[in-house]
Amino acid sequence: MFKKLSALFFAFVVFFSLGARFSYAQDTTTPITTQEAKYRGLLDDYRKAQDQFIVSAGQYYNLQTLAAQEDAVRALRSVMLTRDDVVIAYFDLLELEINTVPGIELSRKGQLTSQIDIQKDQLKSHRARVEITTDRINLNLEASGFSQLEAQLEATSDRSLSLLKIAGIQAALDQLVLTKSQLDSFVASAPISETVRGEKQRGLDEMGRSVESIKLVISKALTRYDESLRSISNPGFSEVRSILNPGFATLTQAVQFAREIIQ
């Protein structure tokens, strides 16, 4: 049972660290930074409860007394409650980001947030049952019930991070398109020689090709994302990241073209 607890949380922590993060100032309080702080605080609580469970379980295996068993049961109940709390906070954070960041189509946003809400309701129901359970047998049953949720929880997390990653490059692309439009006007009217204008126009042409290339990458990533909705086992996030990597590289190159054009 303890391995199950650890494995799921390792997955969530890794997913969280790899997720699409947006450039909020570190010293600015926003709903997202507030929720992130809450999530990290609860994660610390979970780790402490986990450590206490290890100690209590070890004492029970060594002593085999009723008192030691009761301590282990209380520690197990505590770690299960804090686990539910931190996963709920994690999904609250994902949902907040999905509803806040630009670049996500409304239909996909609505579909995903509905799925997150279902998962949170399941977790809250599970937590409510654990909160009133004090005996070892029923706690073990609730632990097994949580295990049955794990695949769907991880799939929902995977899809959320995939969509946030796509939204990140879409928002950057939107800004690139706007920048190119402004540079088109600048090059057309700038008091420069025709030779220099031609050089800058070639840079603009490269930017245009970059825009089209990134659009294709995003389209491919969205197709992979939509495919992942049809199967819990699809490794959507890792594949979406791989698909998007060339797009981010192209975006970086396009930014360099823009810098050269305005010089």
Side-chain angles (χ1 to χ4, degrees):
M1 182 194 307
F2 178 69
K3 290 182 179 179
K4 285 283 187 180
L5 292 170
S6 299
L8 179 67
F9 271 80
F10 176 76
F12 277 122
V13 172
V14 170
F15 280 148
F16 184 80
S17 67
L18 293 175
R21 310 303 298 160
F22 294 81
S23 57
Y24 299 101
Q26 292 298 310
D27 59 348
T28 300
T29 300
T30 69
I32 288 179
T33 57
T34 299
Q35 182 60 32
E36 184 173 338
K38 177 181 178 180
Y39 164 78
R40 293 189 182 280
L42 289 169
L43 187 58
D44 286 340
D45 292 342
Y46 168 76
R47 287 167 174 155
K48 291 173 184 175
Q50 211 179 30
D51 290 341
Q52 183 58 51
F53 172 67
I54 293 172
V55 172
S56 298
Q59 289 177 338
Y60 170 65
Y61 290 134
N62 289 330
L63 301 175
Q64 292 294 307
T65 65
L66 182 59
Q69 184 188 82
E70 290 177 349
D71 285 343
V73 169
R74 282 194 293 269
L76 174 60
R77 179 173 172 272
S78 177
V79 80
M80 290 172 68
L81 288 171
T82 54
R83 175 182 62 180
D84 285 339
D85 286 340
V86 74
V87 180
I88 290 168
Y90 173 84
F91 280 116
D92 282 340
L93 179 58
L94 284 181
E95 189 168 27
L96 186 57
E97 291 209 30
I98 289 166
N99 284 324
T100 301
V101 302
I104 300 179
E105 187 181 70
L106 287 177
S107 61
R108 289 189 175 92
K109 180 182 294 189
Q111 183 181 29
L112 185 55
T113 54
S114 293
Q115 181 60 41
I116 289 175
D117 287 341
I118 290 171
Q119 302 278 236
K120 289 195 299 183
D121 286 344
Q122 291 174 325
L123 288 164
K124 289 173 183 177
S125 295
H126 179 266
R127 191 191 189 287
R129 292 193 302 272
V130 171
E131 194 166 25
I132 61 174
T133 302
T134 57
D135 64 279
R136 176 177 57 85
I137 294 174
N138 285 328
L139 279 177
N140 284 335
L141 289 174
E142 290 300 336
S144 297
F146 187 93
S147 296
Q148 295 173 11
L149 294 176
E150 286 185 24
Q152 187 59 61
L153 291 170
E154 291 191 38
T156 302
S157 172
D158 181 277
R159 291 163 187 164
S160 299
L161 294 173
S162 295
L163 199 56
L164 286 169
K165 197 77 172 180
I166 294 169
I169 193 170
Q170 180 63 61
L173 176 63
D174 293 343
Q175 185 58 52
L176 177 63
V177 171
L178 177 61
T179 299
K180 183 181 181 302
S181 176
Q182 293 170 339
L183 289 176
D184 284 338
S185 299
F186 164 73
V187 170
S189 60
I192 52 179
S193 70
E194 290 306 308
T195 299
V196 173
R197 197 185 314 278
E199 292 173 355
K200 293 185 181 297
Q201 183 59 52
R202 285 191 289 274
L204 286 170
D205 292 342
E206 289 294 338
M207 285 185 68
R209 283 188 281 271
S210 295
V211 166
E212 295 307 313
S213 176
I214 296 169
K215 285 180 180 179
L216 289 175
V217 167
I218 293 174
S219 177
K220 185 176 179 181
L222 283 171
T223 296
R224 184 65 190 89
Y225 170 83
D226 289 339
E227 290 171 354
S228 77
L229 301 180
R230 294 192 285 272
S231 172
I232 289 179
S233 62
N234 274 345
F237 180 50
S238 59
E239 291 190 14
V240 165
R241 282 196 301 145
S242 296
I243 291 168
L244 290 177
N245 283 339
F248 283 111
T250 301
L251 180 64
T252 300
Q253 187 180 48
V255 170
Q256 182 58 40
F257 289 148
R259 288 173 178 163
E260 294 177 9
I261 291 168
I262 62 177
Q263 288 176 353

Short mmCIF file of all heavy atoms in Angstrom, two decimals, residues 12-33:
data_model
loop_
_atom_site.label_atom_id
_atom_site.label_comp_id
_atom_site.label_asym_id
_atom_site.label_seq_id
_atom_site.Cartn_x
_atom_site.Cartn_y
_atom_site.Cartn_z
N PHE A 12 2.95 12.88 -9.59
CA PHE A 12 2.38 14.22 -9.56
C PHE A 12 3.45 15.29 -9.39
O PHE A 12 3.42 16.33 -10.03
CB PHE A 12 1.34 14.34 -8.44
CG PHE A 12 -0.02 13.84 -8.83
CD1 PHE A 12 -0.63 12.84 -8.12
CD2 PHE A 12 -0.66 14.36 -9.93
CE1 PHE A 12 -1.88 12.36 -8.49
CE2 PHE A 12 -1.91 13.90 -10.31
CZ PHE A 12 -2.52 12.89 -9.59
N VAL A 13 4.43 15.03 -8.53
CA VAL A 13 5.48 16.02 -8.31
C VAL A 13 6.29 16.21 -9.58
O VAL A 13 6.63 17.32 -9.97
CB VAL A 13 6.39 15.60 -7.14
CG1 VAL A 13 7.60 16.51 -7.06
CG2 VAL A 13 5.62 15.64 -5.83
N VAL A 14 6.60 15.11 -10.27
CA VAL A 14 7.34 15.23 -11.52
C VAL A 14 6.52 15.97 -12.57
O VAL A 14 7.01 16.87 -13.25
CB VAL A 14 7.74 13.83 -12.04
CG1 VAL A 14 8.29 13.92 -13.46
CG2 VAL A 14 8.80 13.22 -11.13
N PHE A 15 5.25 15.62 -12.72
CA PHE A 15 4.40 16.31 -13.67
C PHE A 15 4.34 17.80 -13.37
O PHE A 15 4.43 18.64 -14.25
CB PHE A 15 2.97 15.75 -13.63
CG PHE A 15 2.79 14.47 -14.40
CD1 PHE A 15 1.88 13.52 -13.98
CD2 PHE A 15 3.54 14.21 -15.53
CE1 PHE A 15 1.71 12.34 -14.68
CE2 PHE A 15 3.38 13.03 -16.24
CZ PHE A 15 2.46 12.09 -15.81
N PHE A 16 4.22 18.13 -12.09
CA PHE A 16 4.10 19.53 -11.72
C PHE A 16 5.37 20.29 -12.10
O PHE A 16 5.33 21.39 -12.62
CB PHE A 16 3.85 19.66 -10.21
CG PHE A 16 3.62 21.07 -9.76
CD1 PHE A 16 2.38 21.64 -9.92
CD2 PHE A 16 4.64 21.80 -9.20
CE1 PHE A 16 2.16 22.95 -9.51
CE2 PHE A 16 4.43 23.10 -8.79
CZ PHE A 16 3.18 23.68 -8.94
N SER A 17 6.52 19.69 -11.86
CA SER A 17 7.79 20.37 -12.14
C SER A 17 8.02 20.52 -13.64
O SER A 17 8.73 21.42 -14.07
CB SER A 17 8.95 19.60 -11.51
OG SER A 17 9.13 18.35 -12.14
N LEU A 18 7.41 19.63 -14.45
CA LEU A 18 7.60 19.70 -15.89
C LEU A 18 6.51 20.49 -16.60
O LEU A 18 6.58 20.69 -17.80
CB LEU A 18 7.62 18.27 -16.47
CG LEU A 18 8.81 17.40 -16.07
CD1 LEU A 18 8.62 16.00 -16.64
CD2 LEU A 18 10.12 17.99 -16.56
N GLY A 19 5.49 20.90 -15.86
CA GLY A 19 4.34 21.55 -16.48
C GLY A 19 4.67 22.87 -17.13
O GLY A 19 5.70 23.48 -16.86
N ALA A 20 3.77 23.31 -18.00
CA ALA A 20 3.95 24.61 -18.66
C ALA A 20 3.78 25.71 -17.63
O ALA A 20 2.71 25.89 -17.07
CB ALA A 20 2.91 24.78 -19.77
N ARG A 21 4.84 26.45 -17.32
CA ARG A 21 4.78 27.51 -16.34
C ARG A 21 4.79 28.85 -17.06
O ARG A 21 5.52 29.04 -18.03
CB ARG A 21 5.97 27.44 -15.37
CG ARG A 21 6.18 26.07 -14.77
CD ARG A 21 4.97 25.56 -14.04
NE ARG A 21 4.63 26.43 -12.92
CZ ARG A 21 3.45 26.45 -12.37
NH1 ARG A 21 2.49 25.72 -12.81
NH2 ARG A 21 3.22 27.27 -11.36
N PHE A 22 4.03 29.78 -16.57
CA PHE A 22 3.92 31.08 -17.21
C PHE A 22 4.64 32.13 -16.38
O PHE A 22 4.88 31.96 -15.20
CB PHE A 22 2.45 31.43 -17.44
CG PHE A 22 1.82 30.50 -18.43
CD1 PHE A 22 1.37 29.25 -18.04
CD2 PHE A 22 1.74 30.84 -19.77
CE1 PHE A 22 0.83 28.37 -18.95
CE2 PHE A 22 1.20 29.97 -20.68
CZ PHE A 22 0.74 28.74 -20.28
N SER A 23 5.01 33.24 -17.00
CA SER A 23 5.95 34.18 -16.41
C SER A 23 5.28 35.16 -15.45
O SER A 23 5.18 36.35 -15.72
CB SER A 23 6.66 34.98 -17.52
OG SER A 23 5.71 35.64 -18.32
N TYR A 24 4.80 34.64 -14.32
CA TYR A 24 4.29 35.51 -13.28
C TYR A 24 5.46 36.00 -12.45
O TYR A 24 6.34 35.23 -12.10
CB TYR A 24 3.29 34.77 -12.38
CG TYR A 24 2.08 34.28 -13.13
CD1 TYR A 24 1.98 32.95 -13.52
CD2 TYR A 24 1.07 35.16 -13.49
CE1 TYR A 24 0.88 32.51 -14.23
CE2 TYR A 24 -0.03 34.73 -14.20
CZ TYR A 24 -0.12 33.40 -14.56
OH TYR A 24 -1.20 32.96 -15.28
N ALA A 25 5.46 37.27 -12.09
CA ALA A 25 6.56 37.80 -11.28
C ALA A 25 6.58 37.11 -9.93
O ALA A 25 5.55 36.88 -9.32
CB ALA A 25 6.39 39.31 -11.10
N GLN A 26 7.79 36.80 -9.46
CA GLN A 26 7.92 36.05 -8.22
C GLN A 26 7.40 36.83 -7.02
O GLN A 26 7.01 36.26 -6.02
CB GLN A 26 9.40 35.67 -8.02
CG GLN A 26 9.89 34.65 -9.04
CD GLN A 26 9.14 33.34 -8.96
OE1 GLN A 26 8.98 32.78 -7.89
NE2 GLN A 26 8.65 32.85 -10.09
N ASP A 27 7.47 38.16 -7.07
CA ASP A 27 7.06 38.96 -5.92
C ASP A 27 5.63 39.47 -6.06
O ASP A 27 5.22 40.36 -5.33
CB ASP A 27 8.03 40.14 -5.74
CG ASP A 27 8.08 41.03 -6.98
OD1 ASP A 27 7.56 40.61 -8.03
OD2 ASP A 27 8.63 42.13 -6.88
N THR A 28 4.87 38.95 -7.00
CA THR A 28 3.49 39.38 -7.21
C THR A 28 2.54 38.29 -6.73
O THR A 28 2.68 37.13 -7.10
CB THR A 28 3.24 39.67 -8.70
OG1 THR A 28 4.12 40.70 -9.13
CG2 THR A 28 1.81 40.11 -8.92
N THR A 29 1.58 38.69 -5.91
CA THR A 29 0.59 37.72 -5.43
C THR A 29 -0.56 37.65 -6.43
O THR A 29 -1.21 38.65 -6.71
CB THR A 29 0.06 38.13 -4.06
OG1 THR A 29 1.15 38.18 -3.13
CG2 THR A 29 -0.98 37.14 -3.57
N THR A 30 -0.79 36.49 -6.98
CA THR A 30 -1.89 36.24 -7.90
C THR A 30 -2.65 35.02 -7.39
O THR A 30 -2.13 34.29 -6.54
CB THR A 30 -1.38 35.97 -9.32
OG1 THR A 30 -0.70 34.69 -9.32
CG2 THR A 30 -0.42 37.05 -9.79
N PRO A 31 -3.86 34.78 -7.89
CA PRO A 31 -4.55 33.55 -7.49
C PRO A 31 -3.71 32.30 -7.75
O PRO A 31 -3.76 31.35 -6.96
CB PRO A 31 -5.82 33.58 -8.36
CG PRO A 31 -6.08 35.04 -8.57
CD PRO A 31 -4.72 35.65 -8.72
N ILE A 32 -2.95 32.30 -8.85
CA ILE A 32 -2.13 31.13 -9.16
C ILE A 32 -0.99 30.97 -8.18
O ILE A 32 -0.72 29.87 -7.69
CB ILE A 32 -1.62 31.20 -10.62
CG1 ILE A 32 -2.80 30.95 -11.57
CG2 ILE A 32 -0.51 30.19 -10.86
CD1 ILE A 32 -2.43 31.02 -13.03
N THR A 33 -0.27 32.07 -7.87
CA THR A 33 0.84 31.95 -6.93
C THR A 33 0.34 31.59 -5.53
O THR A 33 1.00 30.85 -4.79
CB THR A 33 1.67 33.24 -6.87
OG1 THR A 33 0.82 34.35 -6.53
CG2 THR A 33 2.32 33.52 -8.21
#
